[in-house]
Amino acid sequence: MENWKKDSRKAPVIVDIDALVPKDHLLRKIETVMDYEWLYERLDPYYCHDNGRPGADPVVLIKMVLIQHHHGFRI
């Protein structure tokens, strides 16, 4: 009878992100062949290292645009 008082929003949820994306998905194939180290080197002069606020990771920004283009999301 007391189960209805339980707040399920506080219960931990374990999600396997790897299981949500199929193994043969195009974005997985791109990830295996893409090397992003050159991007860090190229954009390093444009990031301030001593202002106390970290900038957005350039690889994350590139991946967001790639996903938007691949899935046809418009902002």
Side-chain angles (χ1 to χ4, degrees):
M1 189 70 179
E2 295 294 320
N3 287 341
W4 64 273
K5 291 183 180 180
K6 193 179 207 182
D7 189 2
S8 63
R9 292 178 293 175
K10 295 179 182 178
V13 176
I14 298 173
V15 177
D16 183 13
I17 300 290
D18 211 29
L20 295 177
V21 180
K23 298 293 182 195
D24 61 343
H25 197 273
L26 177 63
L27 294 176
R28 280 190 187 264
K29 293 176 184 177
I30 292 171
E31 187 67 25
T32 59
V33 297
M34 197 61 185
D35 177 32
Y36 298 104
E37 288 303 316
W38 65 272
L39 193 61
Y40 288 118
E41 294 169 6
R42 178 88 183 241
L43 296 176
D44 189 51
Y46 302 106
Y47 280 82
C48 183
H49 299 284
D50 61 356
N51 68 355
R53 296 175 302 157
D57 187 2
V59 172
V60 172
L61 297 175
I62 294 298
K63 287 181 178 182
M64 285 173 46
V65 171
L66 181 65
I67 290 171
Q68 287 175 350
H69 177 72
H70 179 262
H71 292 291
F73 298 149
R74 293 194 175 202
I75 296 178

